[in-house]
Amino acid sequence: MDSTPRSTSTRRTTWQDLPPRVREDVEDVLGGEVVEAVSQAPGASSVSADRVRTAGGARAFVKAVSRSHDAVAHDLLRRELDVLGRLPDAAPAPRLLGAHDSDEWVALVIEDVDGRRPTLPSERRELIAVLGALFEQPVVRAHGASPFPDAAPELAHTFAGWSRLRADDALSTLPSWAADHLDELEALAAGAARAVHGDRLVHLGLRVDDVLIDASARVWVVDWCSAATGARWLDGLTLLLDARAGGSTVDVDRIVSSHPLFRGAARDDVDAFLAGLAGYFLDAARQPAPLDQPTLRALQRNQGVAAIEWLEQRRA
């Protein structure tokens, strides 16, 4: 599960920083010399993120990282390369055009989407549009098999955060309601992995930053390093939590109770998933921050607190 919350303003690697061999391989994919490269806004890691254009007018989005600079990001980008090569055509994802993949560098050449993030004040309408796109996510588990891992075992360790907090005697770090309801939260989270079992393609950690809306109002989802097979509603819930953590005033519970995406989600399943996320984020927030992401832990705590506040309202 890619759990890094929204941008932490890290300086990105740029197109000009890439070694000649990597740039040449990208240009081979595009069929011409890159004459323009526009680095996107600072993000949560140093992975490059450039919209490039060739002399012949071909366009693409290029993201790249070296193992020696960021081994974790290198592995994640290689996982995304594998996922993009297996995504069904019905997935709302930009197409993989090609790649450079070596022991030291990974660079993905992806279809360029001219889109923007969901924004205020039209956030409710745009959130509903994104949930509609998630409702159409394809079935990927047929006859018991899927090209993507099952979300349930993927999340089993992730959702053991409450047990880790208890074992480390870290209850003083918790919001007061969470400390008072620790047994309840731990029991809920223990059932979260079972609750997310399903047959749909899921992004497994969808946030507002992972969504683009183009000029035709089409919804695109990016950053597919953690794709899995699971419950249809899973991504919608992480999206609504991220919107709430980011200051959205949308009534997320009303959406959960009324939108078709959540029709198959029992109330206890939603609570279990929120409890699992809250425990994960509050546990992760105790760890030292990576050197190139100094605000990461504060952002993770913000997500955890938002999940607890949502659960407190739901279980009042």
Side-chain angles (χ1 to χ4, degrees):
M1 186 176 194
D2 177 16
S3 58
T4 307
R6 63 188 76 242
S7 172
T8 55
S9 298
T10 297
R11 180 195 177 275
R12 289 192 185 278
T13 302
T14 68
W15 170 256
Q16 288 74 22
D17 296 328
L18 305 184
R21 176 61 186 272
V22 176
R23 295 200 302 264
E24 289 168 5
D25 283 355
V26 170
E27 290 174 335
D28 284 346
V29 170
L30 296 177
E33 179 186 1
V34 170
V35 295
E36 180 182 61
V38 180
S39 183
Q40 302 306 287
S45 76
S46 58
V47 175
S48 75
D50 290 275
R51 298 179 68 185
V52 303
R53 178 178 60 84
T54 69
R59 294 181 178 273
F61 178 72
V62 178
K63 54 197 299 188
V65 70
S66 70
R67 181 182 295 279
S68 59
H69 188 75
D70 191 334
V72 173
H74 184 276
D75 289 344
L76 288 174
L77 212 59
R78 181 167 280 169
R79 284 172 56 184
E80 185 174 3
L81 171 60
D82 178 59
V83 169
L84 290 177
R86 291 184 287 123
L87 282 180
D89 291 341
R95 293 178 301 116
L96 176 68
L97 304 178
H100 168 96
D101 184 12
S102 65
D103 287 342
E104 178 61 18
W105 281 90
V106 175
L108 308 187
V109 188
I110 303 170
E111 179 183 8
D112 184 32
V113 174
D114 188 7
R116 57 174 179 78
R117 310 295 184 193
T119 57
L120 295 168
S122 57
E123 59 171 297
R124 187 181 190 283
R125 175 177 57 80
E126 293 186 343
L127 283 173
I128 294 298
V130 178
L131 296 178
L134 297 177
F135 184 74
E136 300 298 330
Q137 285 278 50
V139 172
V140 291
R141 190 195 306 277
H143 309 295
S146 170
F148 303 101
D150 194 319
E154 288 283 306
L155 294 177
H157 174 76
T158 299
F159 283 174
W162 297 113
S163 299
R164 291 189 288 270
L165 286 159
R166 186 193 293 274
D168 293 344
D169 196 21
L171 305 190
S172 63
T173 68
L174 301 179
S176 58
W177 187 87
D180 292 341
H181 293 77
L182 182 60
D183 290 345
E184 177 184 357
L185 289 166
E186 192 170 5
L188 277 171
R194 173 200 54 76
V196 302
H197 183 74
D199 62 0
R200 299 281 172 159
L201 173 68
V202 293
H203 185 276
L204 203 60
L206 186 68
R207 304 185 305 273
V208 175
D209 279 356
D210 298 316
V211 176
L212 293 173
I213 301 176
D214 67 19
S216 68
R218 180 177 177 180
V219 172
W220 301 80
V221 176
V222 300
D223 294 338
W224 285 88
C225 63
S226 300
T229 309
R232 185 184 230 169
W233 52 267
L234 186 160
D235 287 336
L237 204 64
T238 63
L239 179 78
L240 293 179
L241 174 61
D242 188 53
R244 181 174 174 134
S248 171
T249 58
V250 169
D251 186 343
V252 289
D253 260 330
R254 183 176 180 182
I255 293 176
V256 169
S257 64
S258 62
H259 196 281
L261 178 66
F262 300 99
R263 192 172 294 148
R267 184 176 184 84
D268 283 349
D269 287 348
V270 171
D271 288 354
F273 191 64
L274 286 174
L277 286 173
Y280 167 72
F281 281 123
L282 292 172
D283 178 44
R286 300 182 297 138
Q287 310 307 315
L291 292 178
D292 62 347
Q293 300 177 54
T295 65
L296 172 61
R297 301 312 182 195
L299 292 168
Q300 287 177 322
R301 182 167 179 82
N302 182 53
Q303 294 266 333
V305 170
I308 286 297
E309 291 175 346
W310 189 358
L311 265 174
E312 182 178 2
Q313 291 178 10
R314 288 177 57 84
R315 300 184 74 81

